[in-house]
Amino acid sequence: MAPPVHLADTHWEKLHPPLLEAGSFAIDPAPYGPPWRQFDEVGAHEAAKLGRFAPFGALSGGPTDTILLAPGDVHGTRLIVERAAGYCRGIDGRDGPNLACLGCDLPVGTRMDDCGCWQVVRLVPQAVVRLPGPPEQPILAWAELLATGALGHRLSAFRDIPAGVALAHVVVAAGGAPVEVAPGPVAELLGRSLGALLPAGKGAKRLDLAGPEFGEPAADLVLVPIHPQTGDMWQPRAGAVPVPMDAALWAELASPPHRTRLPVVGGLPAGVERDDPLPPHPLNPFQPSKQAFRYTLSRLPAVREPWLRAIYDRGY
């Protein structure tokens, strides 16, 4: 699988599910693990080589291309107890590899399952040898992904994180111009935040949703899904600028859950109509994750442009 867009962003002090589904793996190209250094300590030039273009937390000096797995898929290892530190409910991997091979007793990976962490095991690339095995799942076409439900609705409790990632990419694609958001699910997801981040006025770029089996509306910017296996964006045929979005969140916007007024089985007598209460409204308007928004911007070279750096420093 492609590394999920929400890989590095979580909810603080909340238990998270496994990052990946059982039987799948992903490779994270970003460095991970100690030594940890601050942006000012590394310097802007060296930080750019590590894929960070603005200060945001600590930078890792660990290995790149760690292999990500669901914890339940890892066998033949033991926990290195002296490296099993965490915040309060588990292990957060702060001290480096905490899993050792039962055969040779060498450190081979890091398990993370603390609150504020996606449950995942990161195998050290130097410790992994790929052996022949069953054929990999073929790369599915967009039509097959939709037909099999592989895009899924799996992030509803954490949808603010991929929304924050998408928000950052929309702001960059807008180039500082106003954005007019198409009414409906896209406006509900990003409209308020874009209004707070970008100026209003003439020359607005219209933002809408586009993708497989959905069509291509007349818009300047279109939110399109990222293929969950390859990480490639769906490409529109028209001249609109594609803006990447997590496939599960895109599917949630493209096909919102339908709430039927009819009973699941049977029927109602003639002349009788259901009058169920509407779903409760949230206490506060939806807001994309500020942390995911700023972290995504910090990894995009465009953040070095003065207008975008001002947004980054100001936040929303």
Side-chain angles (χ1 to χ4, degrees):
M1 306 296 290
V5 300
H6 54 280
L7 170 62
D9 302 298
T10 60
H11 291 167
W12 183 240
E13 292 191 328
K14 184 173 183 179
L15 293 176
H16 294 63
L19 179 70
L20 299 173
E21 295 182 1
S24 65
F25 74 94
I27 298 176
D28 182 11
Y32 184 83
W36 302 97
R37 295 174 293 171
Q38 296 301 316
F39 189 91
D40 292 341
E41 178 186 354
V42 174
H45 181 71
E46 185 65 26
K49 292 182 180 179
L50 298 173
R52 193 73 61 83
F53 303 95
F56 187 95
L59 285 86
S60 169
T64 59
D65 297 329
T66 52
I67 294 93
L68 310 177
L69 295 170
D73 284 347
V74 178
H75 305 277
T77 63
R78 69 168 181 86
L79 187 66
I80 303 175
V81 178
E82 56 269 24
R83 294 185 180 179
Y87 177 66
C88 65
R89 297 186 183 182
I91 309 166
D92 62 12
R94 67 181 67 182
D95 297 321
N98 55 32
L99 294 177
C101 171
L102 288 178
C104 65
D105 210 37
L106 292 176
V108 294
T110 304
R111 174 167 181 151
M112 300 170 62
D113 56 15
D114 202 354
C115 61
C117 298
W118 297 104
Q119 295 184 45
V120 69
V121 167
R122 289 178 175 267
L123 295 179
V124 179
Q126 296 88 340
V128 175
V129 177
R130 187 165 185 171
L131 301 176
E136 290 187 13
Q137 179 182 347
I139 301 299
L140 300 179
W142 286 107
E144 294 175 298
L145 288 171
L146 292 170
T148 58
L151 295 186
H153 293 179
R154 296 170 304 205
L155 280 174
S156 57
F158 302 95
R159 66 198 299 261
D160 63 309
I161 296 175
V165 176
L167 177 64
H169 286 289
V170 171
V171 170
V172 171
V179 171
E180 174 193 350
V181 187
V186 177
E188 295 173 6
L189 189 82
L190 302 178
R192 289 172 55 89
S193 299
L194 287 170
L197 290 167
L198 296 173
K202 297 181 180 179
K205 297 182 178 181
R206 183 170 176 82
L207 174 69
D208 208 337
L209 202 67
E213 308 295 328
F214 188 81
E216 298 184 36
D220 303 292
L221 311 173
V222 287
L223 291 164
V224 299
I226 302 171
H227 197 290
Q229 292 175 291
T230 66
D232 296 330
M233 286 191 296
W234 183 86
Q235 293 295 325
R237 292 187 299 272
V241 176
V243 180
M245 172 176 272
D246 173 77
L249 180 58
W250 181 90
E252 190 175 306
L253 298 181
S255 303
H258 178 65
R259 186 172 182 267
T260 178
R261 299 175 63 200
L262 298 176
V264 177
V265 295
L268 292 173
V272 176
E273 189 171 312
R274 291 279 291 268
D275 189 24
D276 296 331
L278 294 173
H281 287 282
L283 295 178
N284 300 302
F286 174 81
Q287 185 177 52
S289 167
K290 295 182 179 181
Q291 176 177 332
F293 169 75
R294 296 189 76 249
Y295 180 62
T296 303
L297 282 184
S298 75
R299 295 181 294 164
L300 298 174
V303 76
R304 294 179 291 193
E305 299 178 20
W307 71 270
L308 188 54
R309 182 56 188 265
I311 291 177
Y312 177 83
D313 291 337
R314 182 179 75 245
Y316 74 98

